[in-house]
Amino acid sequence: MDAGNGCSARALAACVIGGIVLGASVLALHLAGGPAAIPPLPLPSLGALRRRRRNRRPVRVYMDGCFDMMHYGHCNALRQARALGDELVVGVISDDEIKANKGPPVTPLHERMIMVRAVKWVDDIIPDAPYAITEEFMNKLFNEYNIDYIIHGDDPCLLPDGTDAYALAKKAGRYKQIKRTEGVSTTDIVGRMLLCVRERSSDAHNHSSLQRQFSSGHGQKVDDTGSGTGTRVSHFLPTSRRIVQFSNSRGPGPDSQIVYIDGAFDLFHAGHVEILRLARELGDFLLVGIHTDQTISSTRGRHRPIMNLHERSLSVLACRYVDEVIIGAPWDVSKDMITTFNISLVVHGTIAENMDFAEDDSNPYAVPKAMGIYRRLESPLDITTSTIIRRIVANHEAYQKRNEKKEASEKKYYESKSFVNGE
């Protein structure tokens, strides 16, 4: 046999032996229970999964705004933006930028920063943000702040020259859109007050006009379309889902120190935020009572409140210092109420719209005072709802011009709007 035949024979023998070995292996697996008998690969531990999650860089989203006279519509926009990522960075536009692009702001930058920082969905803020997303600022967001996406509502944001303020972000493919909150805007709120300023100026000798100043629209016939020189009555439609979205999903523990504070919280402002912050520091759980529209009208005049009960409730619920609210709290803090909510401490600020109750025989805090659980807190800021109103009145001509311009763009938005899926 030559060398070639010898190689072929050896190859044949190797194949036969390999087949016998493979067959024996398959038979052994079958007798042992088949492939299921092969032990599975070990699953990663819970600690390993957590480490992987920690090592993943969080998705950071950016949203900017004026946040002037901040309301629940702003808060809902921030809530939606936060849901698109893991961390929300908010740019608060400077006073000068607002004045150049929209007109004078009602609330200065430092007050607006207090308001934005207090919203429970906000992780960080950038003060003095520009009104337009320039290429330089956009690159700064991406490279210095590690922003992944820039967020804005479905309503157009145009610069004075008519161009889109977010055009560059859209071109870069780093833009995401959320649904605008219907029924409220700063323009609408300012308009509720300006409407009555116009009534007052047209009938300077009619004292009842002064009482109607800054009405929320109840009992008046106003322009309901958003056009012309009138202002729209609030179109806010409260739903249970919206309240749930704003609410915390936790209650107080059995040994929690529950602090209670109540008020109107109309035109929710920096003064409200700061007194709530102090109140929350006194315990483990802050319960806030929000008075009814009727209670406020009876104690502060029929031109109040400017925001209705549900609007005010959402603004307070969005505050990070607040754990729970009583929607429509009674004026008097009773023994039964203290027992029902297991209240440990009742507090009130030194700055308020009406402090006459302190001298009144029917003091609403008489019971907690008698129980020794009432405390008066020094208010950090001398700001009330009337402070905000006086700012509008003092410069109402400038705000009138600003609103007329904004109302025209809002009318165009409502006429051409279509359904946008979102929360």
Side-chain angles (χ1 to χ4, degrees), residues 250-299:
R250 64 184 184 277
D255 300 319
S256 293
Q257 170 92 350
I258 300 175
V259 180
Y260 178 75
I261 186 171
D262 60 7
F265 299 100
D266 196 14
L267 292 180
F268 196 61
H269 53 71
H272 293 138
V273 167
E274 287 296 270
I275 197 66
L276 292 175
R277 178 181 60 80
L278 291 185
R280 182 61 175 80
E281 291 175 354
L282 297 176
D284 310 304
F285 192 91
L286 182 60
L287 176 65
V288 181
I290 303 176
H291 295 148
T292 65
D293 296 349
Q294 292 77 13
T295 296
I296 297 168
S297 294
S298 66
T299 57

Side-chain angles (χ1 to χ4, degrees), residues 210-223:
L210 179 61
Q211 288 296 315
R212 290 198 305 274
Q213 190 173 357
F214 317 122
S215 169
S216 60
H218 300 297
Q220 302 179 57
K221 182 171 180 57
V222 298
D223 185 357

Side-chain angles (χ1 to χ4, degrees), residues 90-143:
V90 178
V92 185
I93 296 171
S94 69
D95 292 342
D96 290 340
E97 286 276 281
I98 296 175
K99 189 173 183 179
N101 288 277
K102 300 180 70 172
V106 179
T107 49
L109 178 64
H110 71 277
E111 290 181 22
R112 292 184 285 117
M113 287 178 61
I114 289 173
M115 297 298 295
V116 174
R117 189 179 283 114
V119 176
K120 58 188 175 185
W121 298 289
V122 175
D123 297 291
D124 197 5
I125 61 173
I126 301 175
D128 288 313
Y131 190 82
I133 304 290
T134 62
E135 187 169 1
E136 179 185 1
F137 184 69
M138 184 173 69
N139 289 332
K140 184 176 181 180
L141 290 176
F142 295 158
N143 300 323

Side-chain angles (χ1 to χ4, degrees), residues 82-93:
R82 180 63 169 73
L84 295 177
D86 301 307
E87 295 175 1
L88 173 61
V89 179
V90 178
V92 185
I93 296 171

Side-chain angles (χ1 to χ4, degrees), residues 25-170:
S25 300
V26 171
L27 179 61
L29 284 173
H30 178 71
L31 293 175
I38 301 174
L41 292 173
L43 293 174
S45 67
L46 183 59
L49 289 174
R50 286 174 177 169
R51 284 192 295 273
R52 289 182 190 176
R53 196 175 295 118
R54 283 197 300 266
N55 292 334
R56 179 181 68 84
R57 188 179 76 79
V59 175
R60 289 168 62 83
V61 296
Y62 172 82
M63 187 174 198
D64 60 14
C66 302
F67 305 107
D68 195 18
M69 293 182 63
M70 193 164 184
H71 49 72
Y72 64 91
H74 293 131
C75 298
N76 193 46
L78 296 174
R79 181 190 65 81
Q80 292 181 78
R82 180 63 169 73
L84 295 177
D86 301 307
E87 295 175 1
L88 173 61
V89 179
V90 178
V92 185
I93 296 171
S94 69
D95 292 342
D96 290 340
E97 286 276 281
I98 296 175
K99 189 173 183 179
N101 288 277
K102 300 180 70 172
V106 179
T107 49
L109 178 64
H110 71 277
E111 290 181 22
R112 292 184 285 117
M113 287 178 61
I114 289 173
M115 297 298 295
V116 174
R117 189 179 283 114
V119 176
K120 58 188 175 185
W121 298 289
V122 175
D123 297 291
D124 197 5
I125 61 173
I126 301 175
D128 288 313
Y131 190 82
I133 304 290
T134 62
E135 187 169 1
E136 179 185 1
F137 184 69
M138 184 173 69
N139 289 332
K140 184 176 181 180
L141 290 176
F142 295 158
N143 300 323
E144 294 185 24
Y145 291 96
N146 295 319
I147 298 300
D148 295 288
Y149 297 102
I150 294 172
I151 316 295
H152 192 259
D154 62 315
D155 52 319
C157 183
L158 303 179
L159 300 174
D161 62 2
T163 58
D164 185 353
Y166 296 91
L168 290 175
K170 293 176 180 177

Side-chain angles (χ1 to χ4, degrees), residues 19 66 104 144-145 152 178 187 206 208 214 222 240 302 319 358 372 388 404:
C66 302
E144 294 185 24
Y145 291 96
H152 192 259
I178 59 171
T187 303
N206 187 347
S208 65
F214 317 122
V222 298
S240 58
R302 61 191 180 95
C319 181
I388 308 299
E404 287 174 354

